[in-house]
């Protein structure tokens, strides 16, 4: 019987290159994971308004950051990349627990963060009035579910979701939760109340205090400047879409504003 060639699998020693954007929480996930694991990598900053041919070649499906290139082979999608890092470098600091059920649970809540919490936060940022109020309620409902898991559920009594050290879910939730304070400052809407969500609030403070996190997350004043400009642009686009709809014949649908999913991906 022929032996299957292993040459298709890049060796761990092959160089790592990360294509990302400085303000992208999805890029920050991969940067943080690489630092936690002590893996060296080259970083390529992408202009999301003028994406490079190299990025589009590496990620022709979604055309987004982050993309990790290992030994000449490209892998997109932050959560997929994080799991790959665990598989490819099992001897380094693990992100996923050893128990199969706990690994599945971490993946479930990562999906929850990207499918429920992230889009709701994006909707708060990109809206005003009644639409924003509805989005705030959705954020609080999602945070209440996480708070319940920290209080009475699978993560009860843990400093981090991963236990004594941060794991996959900490990286996914944490590299995005720091935007909550930025959005509060920009929108004037309170999203995380320490009294309402004490365990989530304590977890976030512990996460943000980690040296690797401080090294990864950009300065708050830079994030605020970026967020103010982005919100102004999104609200302007939404207003333009509504105005076009009002002036157009009733048979024509109004132009749609950017979706909360697009906002969540881009930040």
């Amino acid at each position: 019987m022929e032996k299957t060639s292993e040459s298709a699998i890049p060796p761990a020693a092959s160089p790592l290159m990360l294509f990302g954007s400085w303000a992208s929480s999805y890029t920050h996930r991969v940067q943080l994971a690489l630092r936690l694991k002590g893996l060296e990598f080259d970083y390529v900053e992408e202009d999301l308004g003028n994406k490079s041919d190299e990025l589009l070649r590496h990620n022709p499906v979604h055309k987004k950051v982050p993309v990790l290139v290992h030994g000449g082979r490209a892998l997109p999608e932050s959560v997929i990349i994080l799991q790959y890092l665990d598989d490819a470098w099992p001897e380094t600091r693990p992100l996923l627990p050893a128990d199969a059920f706990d690994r599945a649970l971490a993946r479930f809540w990562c999906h929850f963060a990207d499918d429920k919490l992230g889009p709701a936060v994006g909707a708060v940022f990109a809206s005003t009035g009644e639409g924003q109020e509805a989005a705030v309620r959705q954020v609080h409902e999602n945070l209440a579910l996480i708070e319940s898991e920290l209080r009475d559920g699978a993560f009860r009594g843990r400093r981090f979701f991963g236990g004594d050290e941060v794991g996959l879910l900490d990286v996914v939730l944490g590299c995005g939760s720091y935007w909550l304070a930025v959005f509060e400052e920009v929108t004037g809407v309170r999203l995380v109340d320490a009294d309402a969500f004490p365990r989530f609030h304590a977890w976030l403070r512990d996460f943000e205090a980690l040296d690797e996190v401080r090294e990864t997350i950009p300065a708050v004043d830079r994030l605020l400047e970026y967020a103010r400009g982005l919100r102004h642009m999104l609200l302007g686009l939404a207003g333009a879409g509504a105005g076009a709809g009002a002036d157009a014949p009733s048979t024509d649908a109004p132009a749609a504003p950017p979706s909360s999913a697009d906002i969540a991906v881009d930040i």
Side-chain angles (χ1 to χ4, degrees):
M1 181 181 294
E2 275 187 61
K3 291 185 178 180
T4 302
S5 173
E6 296 182 358
S7 61
I9 304 174
S14 297
L16 287 165
M17 180 176 292
L18 176 63
F19 291 79
S21 173
W22 74 269
S24 165
S25 59
Y26 297 86
T27 297
H28 299 155
R29 292 174 178 179
V30 182
Q31 290 175 317
L32 176 57
L34 289 165
R35 288 174 175 133
L36 289 171
K37 286 179 167 292
L39 300 175
E40 295 184 0
F41 64 98
D42 292 323
Y43 178 71
V44 178
E45 175 68 19
E46 281 287 333
D47 178 359
L48 298 184
N50 184 28
K51 297 172 184 177
S52 70
D53 292 339
E54 197 169 8
L55 173 66
L56 299 178
R57 177 169 57 84
H58 285 314
N59 189 4
V61 176
H62 297 299
K63 301 178 176 62
K64 295 181 182 293
V65 296
V67 173
L68 182 74
V69 179
H70 179 207
R73 302 176 68 184
L75 190 63
E77 297 295 313
S78 62
V79 176
I80 300 299
I81 294 171
L82 299 186
Q83 294 179 72
Y84 173 73
L85 294 177
D86 249 15
D87 290 339
W89 285 272
E91 75 283 358
T92 61
R93 180 174 174 176
L95 297 175
L96 281 163
D99 181 78
F101 182 85
D102 288 342
R103 289 200 302 273
L105 195 64
R107 293 184 180 113
F108 169 83
W109 285 104
C110 285
H111 180 71
F112 172 86
D114 284 346
D115 185 58
K116 298 291 186 182
L117 181 58
V121 173
V124 173
F125 184 67
S127 61
T128 58
E130 293 181 359
Q132 187 181 66
E133 291 173 3
V136 170
R137 288 193 296 271
Q138 187 63 56
V139 170
H140 289 165
E141 289 172 7
N142 291 330
L143 289 177
L145 291 171
I146 298 173
E147 182 72 19
S148 177
E149 287 297 313
L150 287 168
R151 184 183 63 245
D152 303 314
F155 309 113
R156 180 178 58 188
R158 298 186 185 183
R159 181 186 180 196
F160 297 109
F161 291 100
D164 293 332
E165 293 186 330
V166 298
L168 179 73
L169 182 54
D170 295 282
V171 173
V172 169
L173 266 179
C175 291
S177 292
Y178 61 84
W179 277 107
L180 294 170
V182 174
F183 287 178
E184 287 179 356
E185 178 71 22
V186 172
T187 65
V189 176
R190 187 72 178 273
L191 293 175
V192 181
D193 190 322
D195 294 329
F197 310 110
R199 290 165 182 80
F200 180 85
H201 188 269
W203 161 78
L204 184 56
R205 297 289 80 77
D206 284 346
F207 176 83
E208 291 176 339
L210 295 173
D211 290 339
E212 295 89 346
V213 173
R214 291 179 179 273
E215 185 180 355
T216 300
I217 306 306
V220 173
D221 56 350
R222 192 180 183 198
L223 291 174
L224 282 170
E225 181 182 3
Y226 174 82
R228 290 189 179 104
L230 181 61
R231 177 168 163 81
H232 179 76
M233 179 191 71
L234 292 173
L235 293 180
L237 288 172
D247 295 336
S250 59
T251 54
D252 293 335
S259 71
S260 58
D262 288 335
I263 298 164
V265 168
D266 283 341
I267 63 175

